Amino acid sequence: MQCLNLPDDVRQVTLTWRCQGYTVGFVPTMGYWHEGHLSLIRAARARCAKVVASIFINPTQFAPTEDLARYPQDLERDLALAQEAGVDVVFCPDAAAMYEPGHGTWVEVPELSQGLCGASRPGHFRGVATVVTKLFWIVLPHVAFFGEKDWQQLAIIRAMTRQLSCPVEICGCPTVRESDGLAMSSRNVYLTPQERAQAPALYAMLCHLRDLVAAGERRVDVLRTSGQQFLAQHLPLARLDYLEIVHPETLAPQREATSPALAAVALFLGKARLIDNLRIA
Ligand code: PAF
């Protein structure tokens, strides 16, 4: 396995692979790997002859008030996991290798970026779409793998690649959960034991909504009220950011939870902001 820091070095390797007829799979990450990241690597390994992963805490997707400075990192451990998982190249640039001084070119998908997480994290998805575009130009992958936990991010990256005619296939992979249902996230490390004990109620609430829909309840206002009550009862330490029922592709809020419908939720729990989603119809 090679660990490369410079964009040109990565591109040279992947260009050679492409010329040799290999399929290149790419897993972009911000590091501090867990089972969720490893499931993306495994999906890439299964589909592609060569696998590149990136580890880059992208500053442009963090607001000044957010956790950029304390985002968890353990590069040595990530590299050991990458090696074990059969990654061929890990791309670990520093910020200067990714952004020249005065960087001013941005990629935006406004129609999908305004609601849900975009409402409380203005500029976040502009930073994500821009860095993913740059990473695609550096790595030149045939297929890129993203987790469905970040559903809005995945929808935005799909739209971005389609609208920019970018020749990368986007592969969404299922959310990986702890045994108690909590979606795996690098940010779970921020949770205190008390917060961690309540956190599984986030997924339990989504399952509760799915069960209500299966039992015939379609009214979104009733479902949202029930979800909010569930969280108030089982996750009292949290402050709800949003609970929405949306169309899974357009992300448009639904009036009725008729198929296809996705419940998406975000809340603040201590120092962490947790997100999750579930198809409920
Ligand atoms: O999901 C993430 O880890 C990040 O948003 C990504 C896609 C690596 C871009 O920085």
Side-chain angles (χ1 to χ4, degrees):
M1 184 182 84
Q2 281 181 283
C3 178
L4 301 173
N5 306 115
L6 297 178
D8 286 349
D9 292 348
V10 176
R11 198 181 291 112
Q12 208 176 329
V13 172
T14 56
L15 262 179
T16 307
W17 286 340
R18 290 181 74 109
C19 291
Q20 291 168 339
Y22 291 120
T23 313
V24 180
F26 177 43
V27 180
T29 82
M30 297 209 298
Y32 210 68
W33 285 11
H34 49 67
E35 245 331 287
H37 297 108
L38 294 174
S39 74
L40 300 179
I41 302 288
R42 281 194 287 271
R45 266 267 67 102
R47 270 289 301 276
C48 307
K50 300 288 183 187
V51 174
V52 179
S54 62
I55 297 177
F56 177 59
I57 303 175
N58 172 37
T60 65
Q61 67 189 75
F62 290 79
T65 49
E66 293 181 344
D67 57 345
L68 173 62
R70 62 189 167 90
Y71 193 83
Q73 16 184 339
D74 189 343
L75 184 58
E76 213 174 300
R77 183 172 168 275
D78 290 345
L79 292 178
L81 289 171
Q83 170 102 51
E84 211 177 299
V87 174
D88 296 287
V89 165
V90 182
F91 175 45
C92 303
D94 63 14
M98 290 298 288
Y99 293 104
E100 65 176 35
H103 174 96
T105 304
W106 301 102
V107 179
E108 286 192 74
V109 187
E111 72 274 19
L112 295 176
S113 301
Q114 249 107 71
L116 303 176
C117 289
S120 53
R121 304 189 71 190
H124 169 69
F125 289 115
R126 182 183 85 155
V128 171
T130 302
V131 81
V132 170
T133 304
K134 286 170 69 66
L135 288 166
F136 283 179
W137 276 111
I138 292 165
V139 176
L140 305 175
H142 294 94
V143 193
F145 298 80
F146 295 87
E148 289 180 348
K149 187 185 80 96
D150 296 295
W151 189 275
Q152 186 175 15
Q153 168 173 284
L154 179 58
I156 286 169
I157 289 166
R158 282 193 203 285
M160 174 197 91
T161 42
R162 206 176 50 240
Q163 292 179 13
L164 293 180
S165 310
C166 177
V168 179
E169 180 189 332
I170 304 302
C171 183
C173 301
T175 302
V176 178
R177 300 182 180 281
E178 305 284 357
S179 55
D180 59 11
L182 178 64
M184 288 198 185
S185 162
S186 303
R187 288 185 166 105
N188 290 350
V189 74
Y190 296 150
L191 300 174
T192 65
Q194 211 192 354
E195 289 158 359
R196 176 63 188 81
Q198 291 190 11
L202 186 57
Y203 180 57
M205 181 277 292
L206 293 171
C207 294
H208 165 72
L209 296 188
R210 185 190 54 194
D211 294 346
L212 287 177
V213 172
E217 182 56 76
R218 303 276 148 164
R219 293 165 297 176
V220 161
D221 50 347
V222 173
L223 292 168
R224 287 180 67 198
T225 305
S226 181
Q228 285 162 2
Q229 284 167 351
F230 189 101
L231 290 175
Q233 190 181 343
H234 299 283
L235 226 168
L237 290 174
R239 179 168 61 83
L240 185 64
D241 182 4
Y242 65 78
L243 170 59
E244 301 278 358
I245 290 159
V246 298
H247 186 285
E249 276 152 43
T250 64
L251 306 184
Q254 306 288 77
R255 286 214 198 106
E256 294 262 291
T258 46
S259 181
L262 179 94
V265 62
L267 50 75
F268 299 95
L269 184 55
K271 291 195 172 74
R273 181 174 178 281
L274 304 182
I275 60 172
D276 205 346
N277 65 79
L278 189 70
R279 268 296 285 268
I280 58 167

